[in-house]
């Protein structure tokens, strides 16, 4: 897969230069936008592979940009923002962002988040045709048609809720899913006791899929949600 084309949406010139210089050193192709209106125009006109988005733009909030992009595209959106409160992260992720990086950040961390987004793009490009039937990630595999999950070829004994959680994570591999998003998908509601139940089910699921494998599959984002890691 060739290097992805990246749209950088950032109104702070110093940070924009830091990001563009970082991408240049890694031979990424990119274009920039300094406000929300320009960002939407560039996204529509050039259809980038990935968007790196600041939330605090002069003309509109970044969350609104996420919602607008999500109305026509599933391109990965990595938020880079000075807003560090859990609720800010949850709002952006619930709106459709794939990842959230808090300023100040290191160049290495930005590149790592980009690699996660690229793996997600690659996974969907290469496996989209068979994704409706089968999923494989390291030692873990899921037969969607049969409703079964396997670890190293041995069937896992999962409860219906655990299986639904595993399927939801697998179909969004590499993407942070918020507590609210998960509980709404699994239980159809977002009550506080649903979040408490989610933590219990996620703990038992993690134990079942990680106890017999050296690989880690579920990453916890404290106060925000969960992400399945690509192995």
């Amino acid at each position: 897969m060739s290097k992805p084309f990246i749209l950088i949406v950032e109104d702070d010139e110093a940070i924009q230069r830091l990001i563009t210089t970082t991408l240049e050193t890694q031979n990424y192709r990119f274009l920039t936008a300094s406000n929300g209106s320009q960002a939407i125009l560039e996204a529509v006109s050039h259809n980038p592979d990935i968007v790196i988005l600041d939330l605090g733009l002069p003309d509109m909030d970044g969350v609104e940009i996420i919602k607008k992009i999500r109305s026509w595209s599933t391109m990965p959106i990595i938020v880079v923002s000075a807003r560090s409160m859990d609720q800010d992260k949850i709002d952006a992720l619930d709106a459709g962002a794939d990842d959230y990086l808090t300023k100040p950040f290191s160049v290495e961390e930005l590149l790592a988040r980009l690699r996660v987004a690229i793996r997600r793009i690659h996974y969907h490009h290469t496996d989209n045709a068979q994704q409706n039937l089968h999923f494989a990630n390291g030692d873990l595999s899921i037969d969607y048609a049969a409703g079964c999950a396997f670890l190293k070829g041995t069937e896992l004994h999962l409860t219906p809720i655990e299986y639904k959680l595993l399927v939801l994570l697998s179909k969004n591999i590499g993407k942070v899913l918020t507590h609210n998003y998960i509980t709404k998908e699994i239980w159809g509601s977002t009550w506080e006791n649903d979040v408490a139940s989610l933590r219990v089910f996620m703990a038992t699921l993690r134990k079942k899929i990680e106890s017999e494998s050296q690989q880690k599959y579920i990453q916890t984002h404290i106060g925000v949600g969960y992400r399945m890691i690509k192995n």
Side-chain angles (χ1 to χ4, degrees):
M1 181 180 175
S2 61
K3 288 280 188 177
F5 185 44
I6 302 171
L7 171 60
I8 304 161
V9 186
E10 173 62 69
D11 65 319
D12 186 308
E13 292 184 5
I15 296 177
Q16 188 182 104
R17 282 197 301 272
L18 171 64
I19 297 174
T20 57
T21 300
T22 299
L23 297 186
E24 283 176 343
T25 62
Q26 301 296 315
N27 298 315
Y28 284 109
R29 299 173 298 129
F30 62 85
L31 75 163
T32 62
S34 299
N35 59 58
S37 299
Q38 185 184 4
I40 293 169
L41 178 61
E42 299 289 11
V44 172
S45 303
H46 297 280
N47 193 31
D49 298 299
I50 299 171
V51 178
I52 297 176
L53 173 68
D54 180 28
L55 295 182
L57 298 170
D59 59 339
M60 70 175 70
D61 192 88
V63 172
E64 293 305 312
I65 298 173
I66 296 170
K67 292 177 180 177
K68 289 181 184 296
I69 291 176
R70 279 292 167 262
S71 69
W72 83 84
S73 175
T74 60
M75 66 180 74
I77 300 173
I78 302 173
V79 170
V80 177
S81 176
R83 301 177 189 174
S84 59
M85 299 296 290
D86 285 348
Q87 191 58 52
D88 292 317
K89 298 177 183 180
I90 290 167
D91 289 343
L93 293 165
D94 275 343
D98 292 74
D99 208 342
Y100 197 107
L101 188 59
T102 304
K103 299 176 184 176
F105 58 88
S106 68
V107 166
E108 290 76 14
E109 187 173 10
L110 175 62
L111 291 173
R113 301 300 179 93
L114 274 173
R115 289 192 293 271
V116 169
I118 292 167
R119 285 197 295 271
R120 186 162 183 258
I121 293 170
H122 180 70
Y123 174 81
H124 284 292
H125 282 179
T126 56
D127 294 330
N128 193 52
Q130 56 183 337
Q131 189 178 6
N132 291 333
L133 300 176
H134 188 265
F135 170 85
N137 182 18
D139 294 332
L140 177 68
S141 62
I142 305 171
D143 185 333
Y144 294 134
C148 301
F150 303 86
L151 189 68
K152 295 182 177 179
T154 300
E155 184 174 354
L156 291 163
H157 297 290
L158 304 177
T159 67
I161 294 293
E162 289 170 348
Y163 179 75
K164 288 175 69 176
L165 284 170
L166 186 61
V167 168
L168 183 63
L169 289 166
S170 70
K171 291 188 174 182
N172 291 277
I173 187 168
K175 181 172 183 175
V176 180
L177 302 181
T178 65
H179 295 137
N180 286 348
Y181 177 84
I182 297 172
T183 57
K184 189 173 182 180
E185 290 293 314
I186 301 300
W187 289 287
S189 60
T190 56
W191 297 106
E192 184 61 35
N193 60 334
D194 291 332
V195 176
S197 297
L198 172 61
R199 293 193 181 99
V200 173
F201 280 110
M202 201 64 79
T204 60
L205 174 61
R206 176 179 275 135
K207 184 176 181 181
K208 290 180 180 180
I209 67 176
E210 294 181 350
S211 61
E212 300 298 324
S213 174
Q214 297 299 314
Q215 298 164 334
K216 299 299 180 184
Y217 294 98
I218 300 174
Q219 181 180 50
T220 300
H221 291 256
I222 297 174
V224 177
Y226 301 91
R227 178 213 312 259
M228 176 170 279
I229 303 168
K230 183 78 173 76
N231 285 289

